[in-house]
Amino acid sequence: SSKDITKISTMTPTAGNQQQLLLTALIFVTIPLLYYQWYKTASSKDDTADNDKNPSLASMARRRSSIKPPFPPTIRKMLSACRLAYLSTVDTEVSSSHLSLMRFTYLCDEEDGEVVIMSTNTKTKKFSMLQKQRGVALLVHDFQQDGSDGVYSITLNGNCRIVEDSAKAELYRAEHLKHNPDYPQFIVGDDIAILCVDVTSARICNIDDQVTKWDVGQGISS
């Protein structure tokens, strides 16, 4: 009947109605997507700002030289003035130790912090031992050969690593040679490795047998 035809025609969407429905659906889909994108960008900026204010443990580890306690003035003065130290390494195969007289250079590096630089021939026993065990001890003192005129002896404990990065090794080699210009035979050469000691603790003993301790995690203690 004519009434049924009229009812059907009013229920059937026209082309204009279809476009309006499509536009409405597009708006409902697009607006949430745009909001999500804006929120994600804003959150990323906030996270970056928070990370700058509160650096992660990884970034703190990369900048460990700025968060560990600095060497006490006594250690810095001694390491800056002296050039010779006794290096003790461990022979794990025979459960024994090995002692070497070493020329060293104290450096304050932007990445590594305060370190002690040395060099050694790759054919030496200590080099072989350092490839297996990194724990070392260094003894530095300011006494003369006859034992006079000195004030301090300092034992430094830490980890000695062979510097593998060629650019870093050459930088350290140049500084080491600058500090020990009369001994290039121990510093320069294809078979000369650069060693870097990351000091973790120290014992400072003065002429009156008074001992002061320093630890990388706690700083100075008596």
Side-chain angles (χ1 to χ4, degrees):
S1 64
S2 60
K3 290 183 179 180
D4 294 335
I5 293 174
T6 301
K7 184 183 292 186
I8 293 172
S9 65
T10 57
M11 293 176 60
T12 304
T14 63
N17 289 338
Q18 287 180 340
Q19 291 180 355
Q20 187 174 6
L21 290 173
L22 181 61
L23 180 61
T24 302
L26 185 62
I27 290 173
F28 274 103
V29 171
T30 303
I31 289 178
L33 287 175
L34 291 175
Y35 175 78
Y36 172 75
Q37 187 64 34
W38 171 84
Y39 178 78
K40 186 177 179 181
T41 303
S43 298
S44 177
K45 291 180 179 179
D46 290 341
D47 289 342
T48 301
D50 289 341
N51 287 337
D52 291 339
K53 295 177 182 177
N54 303 298
S56 64
L57 290 176
S59 65
M60 289 174 70
R62 287 191 296 270
R63 296 197 296 269
R64 64 188 183 276
S65 63
S66 64
I67 62 174
K68 70 181 183 182
F71 287 166
T74 301
I75 294 181
R76 285 183 171 179
K77 184 178 180 180
M78 284 276 293
L79 293 182
S80 299
C82 298
R83 288 173 170 79
L84 286 174
Y86 299 95
L87 172 68
S88 176
T89 48
V90 177
D91 190 337
T92 56
E93 294 181 358
V94 295
S95 300
S96 181
S97 58
H98 181 71
L99 198 62
S100 306
L101 182 61
M102 304 290 291
R103 290 205 161 262
F104 74 89
T105 298
Y106 161 67
L107 287 179
C108 189
D109 183 74
E110 183 177 348
E111 294 180 355
D112 293 332
E114 293 177 287
V115 292
V116 177
I117 303 301
M118 298 177 292
S119 56
T120 184
N121 193 295
T122 56
K123 300 180 179 67
T124 59
K125 182 176 182 177
K126 61 178 170 290
F127 181 81
S128 177
M129 290 190 292
L130 288 171
Q131 289 180 305
K132 303 171 185 176
Q133 211 278 346
R134 295 174 55 184
V136 299
L138 277 171
L139 175 63
V140 183
H141 67 79
D142 61 355
F143 292 92
Q144 300 300 318
Q145 188 68 32
D146 60 0
S148 62
D149 299 328
V151 180
Y152 293 103
S153 68
I154 301 176
T155 301
L156 307 169
N157 294 94
N159 296 310
C160 183
R161 50 193 169 88
I162 301 166
V163 181
E164 303 287 354
D165 183 88
S166 58
K168 178 70 77 172
E170 292 312 308
L171 174 64
Y172 283 165
R173 191 189 308 275
E175 291 296 325
H176 190 33
L177 182 61
K178 182 179 178 180
H179 192 63
N180 298 273
D182 297 329
Y183 298 90
Q185 68 271 28
F186 296 109
I187 301 173
V188 181
D190 294 337
D191 55 351
I192 304 294
I194 297 299
L195 309 176
C196 178
V197 178
D198 298 300
V199 179
T200 56
S201 64
R203 296 174 66 90
I204 308 164
C205 182
N206 67 15
I207 192 66
D208 297 317
D209 201 24
Q210 297 171 329
V211 176
T212 303
K213 302 174 185 177
W214 175 87
D215 183 85
V216 70
Q218 300 176 354
I220 282 284
S221 63
S222 298

